[in-house]
Amino acid sequence: MTDYVLIHGAFHGSWCWTRVRSLLASKGHRVFTPTLTGLGERSHLLSREISLGTHIADVANLMAWEELRDIVLVGHSYGGFIVRHVADRMSDRIRSLIYLDAFVPDNGKALFDYVPDKGRKFRELAAANGDGWKLPPPPASLMAVNAADADWVDRQCTMQPLSTFEAPAQISGACDTIPNVGYIRARGYASPYFDGFYALAGERRWWREELACGHDVMLDMPNELTALLLQRG
């Protein structure tokens, strides 16, 4: 039995892991899919005070209080920021670290440092539709979500605190000492920055896989993703 900790991306929640969670559990594994503070079913907690540090603490505290060790830690999209920090602080508890079409931040870099306009459009969107501090979710179509799930994803996604995209990463490098690190790229989602992280994974000699689907891999190809997590984790 393996313990899997699956971290969702921006605007999402635990709900996006339902299929993969069920598939892994059916194989006898324990699966934890925490929802980050202020998102999903915890959207009633959304506030200006939520930071990148809040979301890192969400996952680190789960691991501490559940006494999790020898885990497979997976981060999707923005969740790459979260798992990289958690792995940096708790590397002794992690067997495998997997970035799923995710950001892989260097020390001192914020998420906005990786997008083409350094976050200008996001800030304008927050000013127009989020009181200047929160972001409305993008349409599922922009993430190339499969047609059958697109309307559901649009209903499920919630506001994201802008500050979580502005905070610089604080990484010592301990996360890169984990022996099993990998990157899974969703080839159906065009993104120069995720292509860049995929290339970086190759340079760092991490294992790499590709799936022919949209950005929400866990929805588009849950069976194939589960097979990879079982094989590579």
Side-chain angles (χ1 to χ4, degrees):
M1 183 192 76
T2 299
D3 287 340
Y4 288 83
V5 179
L6 312 179
I7 307 305
H8 64 81
F11 312 104
H12 286 53
S14 176
W15 56 269
C16 70
W17 291 110
T18 299
R19 296 166 189 169
V20 172
R21 183 173 59 219
S22 296
L23 290 166
L24 288 171
S26 72
K27 300 292 185 181
H29 303 291
R30 290 203 305 173
V31 189
F32 298 84
T33 58
T35 292
L36 303 174
T37 301
L39 303 176
E41 78 277 10
R42 305 182 71 202
S43 57
H44 61 289
L45 299 175
L46 183 65
S47 76
R48 290 177 180 269
E49 283 67 49
I50 294 172
S51 65
L52 176 63
T54 307
H55 289 167
I56 295 166
D58 285 334
V59 181
N61 285 348
L62 166 74
M63 290 173 56
W65 265 265
E66 291 286 351
E67 300 183 320
L68 301 180
R69 294 187 178 277
D70 197 34
I71 71 163
V72 176
L73 180 61
V74 182
H76 174 243
S77 196
Y78 159 74
F81 261 80
I82 309 306
V83 299
R84 189 157 174 79
H85 280 87
V86 171
D88 205 58
R89 301 174 186 183
M90 309 176 80
S91 58
D92 61 321
R93 294 174 178 251
I94 297 166
R95 175 206 304 181
S96 179
L97 175 62
I98 301 174
Y99 298 98
L100 176 62
D101 223 32
F103 289 90
V104 185
D106 288 325
N107 185 52
K109 295 285 189 179
L111 186 146
F112 279 161
D113 289 322
Y114 294 101
V115 300
D117 64 357
K118 303 300 183 184
R120 178 180 57 82
K121 290 181 181 177
F122 282 106
R123 291 187 178 96
E124 290 174 353
L125 190 61
N129 300 287
D131 301 320
W133 63 270
K134 57 188 175 182
L135 284 165
S141 58
L142 289 184
M143 296 179 285
V145 173
N146 71 84
D149 285 326
D151 288 345
W152 175 60
V153 171
D154 283 334
R155 292 195 302 272
Q156 293 288 94
C157 283
T158 53
M159 290 274 196
Q160 175 86 14
L162 182 69
S163 63
T164 59
F165 292 173
E166 297 177 319
Q170 299 180 34
I171 303 294
S172 73
C175 50
D176 294 329
T177 66
I178 293 169
N180 185 15
V181 183
Y183 198 99
I184 301 172
R185 178 74 175 98
R187 278 296 168 206
Y189 179 60
S191 166
Y193 38 94
F194 291 131
D195 285 341
F197 293 129
Y198 182 80
L200 176 68
E203 294 169 9
R204 294 183 177 178
R205 300 186 181 278
W206 300 344
W207 59 261
R208 299 188 299 173
E209 299 282 357
E210 301 180 36
L211 290 172
C213 64
H215 185 48
D216 279 5
V217 184
M218 69 290 288
L219 300 180
D220 288 3
M221 299 184 76
N223 293 296
E224 293 83 353
L225 175 59
T226 300
L228 277 180
L229 297 183
L230 291 169
Q231 173 192 352
R232 292 292 205 166

